């Protein structure tokens, strides 16, 4: 596995690969890697000649400075895990290299996709995400890029950005990878206390229950159900939304031909967790 730290090194490398017509799969991450990330790597390896993973904790997408400061950083273990997964290259740039002019986001408009849920509760988050992903696409010029459905809204926004700017990259969604008890894998899980780790299983459980509940109840009733269920736990629900997959707009009723998902953000102590599930 090749370790690259400078955008210029990546560009030289990519130029060589492109001149021999190799396809490049790209997996952007913030490190503290787990099996969820590795499922993206595996899919990229299956579909491309060359797989490159980036590790970059992007400051512009954090609206909470404490969250940025405490975000887990495990570079050595990440490199070992990527190597054992058969990754071809890893790109680990410094903040200064990605933001030579200072840590500023571009401002984007994604037809309202950016205003709901994560966008509403984390102001500026998606401008930061889109800014950094666009920069990485320019440096790496991937044929395909892999995004987890764990961050479903992020995935939809990146798809929209690619469309809006005609970027020559195919976005591939990858299903959510879960722990054996159902908790969605996340780099933040390692910050949970043992008690909160146990409690957090309830997020996925409530999503599954909401899916069953919605079969015989309205959207409004299902929202009340979820909020009542959370009151019985030690977690604090930030939002539960039922939205259509295409526009991420809240729906008020279920229509057969419209794909919908349930989206949850909840605090387990000071750790903010998100999860989502297809509801039809
Ligand atoms: P992150 O390092 O959290 O920014 O995530 C990097 C990529 O991995 C994003 O596309 C995430 O959606 C994806 N990812 C993170 N956790 C999971 C998971 N449990 N299952 C599938 N993809 C994931």
């Amino acid at each position: 596995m090749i370790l690259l730290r400078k955008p210029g090194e990546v560009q030289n490398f990519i130029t060589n690969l492109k001149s021999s017509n190799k396809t490049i799969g790209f997996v952007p991450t913030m490190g503290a890697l787990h099996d969820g990330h590795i499922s993206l790597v595996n899919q990229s390896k299956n579909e491309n000649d060359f797989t490159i993973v980036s590790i970059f904790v992007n400051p512009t997408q954090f609206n909470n400075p404490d969250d940025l400061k405490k975000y887990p950083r495990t570079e050595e273990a990440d490199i070992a895990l990527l190597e054992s997964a058969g990754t071809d290259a890893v790109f680990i740039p410094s903040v200064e290299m990605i933001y030579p002019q200072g840590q500023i986001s571009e401002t984007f408009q994604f037809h309202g996709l950016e205003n709901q849920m994560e966008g509403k509760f984390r102001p500026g988050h998606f401008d930061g995400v889109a800014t950094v992903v666009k920069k990485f696409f320019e440096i790496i010029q991937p044929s395909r890029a892999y995004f987890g459905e764990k961050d479903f809204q992020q995935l939809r926004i990146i798809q929209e950005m690619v469309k809006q700017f005609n970027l020559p990259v195919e976005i591939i969604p990858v299903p959510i990878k879960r722990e054996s008890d159902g908790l969605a894998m996340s780099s933040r899980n390692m910050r949970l206390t043992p008690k909160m780790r146990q409690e957090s299983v309830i997020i996925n459980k409530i999503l599954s229950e909401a899916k069953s509940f919605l079969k015989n109840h309205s959207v409004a009733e299902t929202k009340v159900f979820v909020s009542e269920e959370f009151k019985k736990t030690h977690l604090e629900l930030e939002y539960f939304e039922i939205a259509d997959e295409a526009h991420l707009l809240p729906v008020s009723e279920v229509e057969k031909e419209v794909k919908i998902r349930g989206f949850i953000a909840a605090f387990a102590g000071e750790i903010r967790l998100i999860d989502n599930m297809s509801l039809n």
Side-chain angles (χ1 to χ4, degrees):
M1 186 173 72
I2 303 148
L3 173 57
L4 302 155
R5 291 199 184 265
K6 296 186 181 142
E9 288 172 357
V10 178
Q11 276 153 339
N12 286 338
F13 200 80
I14 296 295
T15 307
N16 284 336
L17 285 174
K18 292 240 162 181
S19 65
S20 47
N21 277 332
K22 301 276 189 228
T23 55
I24 298 161
F26 172 44
V27 180
T29 82
M30 298 205 297
L33 301 180
H34 49 68
D35 276 357
H37 296 111
I38 298 304
S39 68
L40 274 63
V41 171
N42 288 338
Q43 192 159 336
S44 171
K45 277 172 59 72
N46 286 336
E47 297 174 353
N48 300 280
D49 298 317
F50 193 91
T51 291
I52 179 163
V53 176
S54 63
I55 298 177
F56 183 66
V57 182
N58 175 35
T60 63
Q61 72 186 69
F62 284 81
N63 55 316
N64 175 345
D66 195 50
D67 191 25
L68 171 62
K69 203 170 104 203
K70 291 186 178 157
Y71 198 84
R73 288 159 167 90
T74 58
E75 185 177 304
E76 228 173 281
D78 290 348
I79 292 173
L81 186 62
L82 290 175
E83 180 124 50
S84 68
T87 311
D88 298 297
V90 58
F91 176 39
I92 314 182
S94 66
V95 171
E96 292 70 31
M97 282 187 180
I98 297 300
Y99 293 103
Q101 324 270 33
Q103 296 172 24
I104 303 157
S105 296
E106 266 186 70
T107 307
F108 295 88
Q109 245 143 35
F110 297 117
H111 307 296
L113 281 178
E114 72 280 22
N115 295 333
Q116 311 292 334
M117 301 184 288
E118 292 302 282
K120 187 149 103 191
F121 286 92
R122 301 183 70 186
H125 171 66
F126 287 123
D127 279 340
V129 169
T131 297
V132 81
V133 171
K134 197 155 161 271
K135 282 175 184 278
F136 276 95
F137 282 177
E138 275 157 19
I139 297 167
I140 295 173
Q141 298 169 49
S143 327
R144 301 187 183 86
Y146 294 79
F147 288 84
E149 290 183 347
K150 161 84 174 14
D151 301 279
F152 195 87
Q153 193 172 8
Q154 167 174 284
L155 161 70
R156 287 289 303 110
I157 278 171
I158 300 300
Q159 286 171 328
E160 194 57 39
M161 178 179 82
V162 164
K163 214 163 104 186
Q164 215 175 86
F165 294 93
N166 277 316
L167 305 178
V169 51
E170 188 183 350
I171 303 302
I172 313 284
V174 180
I176 301 175
K177 181 114 180 153
R178 298 181 180 281
E179 302 288 355
S180 53
D181 61 8
L183 176 65
M185 289 185 180
S186 164
S187 306
R188 290 189 162 88
N189 293 352
M190 65 175 75
R191 293 187 53 213
L192 295 168
T193 61
K195 184 171 176 288
M196 281 302 178
R197 166 64 188 82
Q198 265 190 335
E199 281 268 315
S200 300
V201 179
I202 202 76
I203 299 175
N204 178 241
K205 200 158 160 273
I206 293 178
L207 274 172
S208 298
E209 286 169 4
K211 184 173 180 162
S212 307
F213 193 88
L214 186 62
K215 292 198 169 92
N216 309 309
H217 299 83
S218 69
V219 166
E221 285 166 340
T222 306
K223 286 187 177 175
V224 173
F225 166 77
V226 167
S227 132
E228 292 301 315
E229 288 303 298
F230 266 95
K231 285 183 191 152
K232 299 175 196 163
T233 73
H234 292 100
L235 305 189
E236 195 190 319
L237 180 64
E238 184 172 58
Y239 66 76
F240 170 67
E241 197 53 86
I242 299 180
D244 75 295
E245 291 191 358
H247 311 98
L248 298 179
L249 289 175
V251 298
S252 50
E253 56 191 65
V254 181
E255 291 173 58
K256 227 180 179 176
E257 56 293 351
V258 179
K259 282 187 157 191
I260 54 170
R261 264 178 194 256
F263 295 87
I264 281 181
F267 282 91
E270 61 171 19
I271 313 302
R272 187 175 181 278
L273 300 174
I274 58 169
D275 199 351
N276 68 83
M277 185 179 284
S278 162
L279 297 180
N280 63 351

